[in-house]
């Protein structure tokens, strides 16, 4: 046995990660633009709620709420993938 047991790639884990990644992409793509834009700006681009709010002409609490709604929808969408 190797001293680094468990460091070899597990083919089934690789397949699972690929399926999960595709499901996440699909869930994000399925969001309406009013939710997808703020979500991408926050979690991919790393913008704060102030910047997101300005770019969408909404308040920072509304930007936060849109991100929350987007996460909730994605979570619901992924339940079928994870189950």
């Amino acid at each position: 046995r190797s001293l680094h047991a468990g460091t070899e790639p597990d083919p089934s884990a690789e397949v699972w990660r690929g399926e999960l990644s595709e499901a996440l992409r699909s869930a994000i793509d399925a969001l309406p633009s009013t939710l997808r834009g703020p979500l991408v700006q926050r979690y991919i681009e790393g913008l704060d709620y102030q910047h997101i709010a300005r770019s969408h002409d909404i308040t920072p609490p509304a930007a936060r709420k849109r991100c929350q709604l987007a996460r909730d929808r994605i979570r619901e969408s992924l339940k079928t993938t994870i189950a």
Side-chain angles (χ1 to χ4, degrees), residues 22-51:
E22 182 57 37
L24 181 58
R25 255 188 232 104
S26 293
I28 292 170
D29 288 345
L31 291 170
S33 61
T34 56
L35 298 180
R36 186 176 53 249
L39 179 88
V40 167
Q41 288 177 312
R42 178 71 178 157
Y43 297 105
I44 295 175
E45 297 174 10
L47 297 180
D48 62 29
Y49 293 118
Q50 289 283 74
H51 284 93

Side-chain angles (χ1 to χ4, degrees), residues 31 35-36 38-39 65-75:
L31 291 170
L35 298 180
R36 186 176 53 249
L39 179 88
K65 183 66 174 177
R66 288 183 186 188
C67 289
Q68 177 187 355
L69 290 171
R71 288 192 317 267
D72 291 346
R73 287 195 186 183
I74 289 169
R75 187 177 300 113

Side-chain angles (χ1 to χ4, degrees), residues 3 7-11 13 20 26 35-37 39 41 45 47 49 53-55 57-59 61 63 69 74 80 82:
L3 291 176
T7 59
E8 297 174 20
D10 175 5
L20 185 59
S26 293
L35 298 180
R36 186 176 53 249
L39 179 88
Q41 288 177 312
E45 297 174 10
L47 297 180
Y49 293 118
R54 278 195 297 266
S55 70
D57 197 27
I58 57 177
T59 64
L69 290 171
I74 289 169
T80 58
I82 295 171

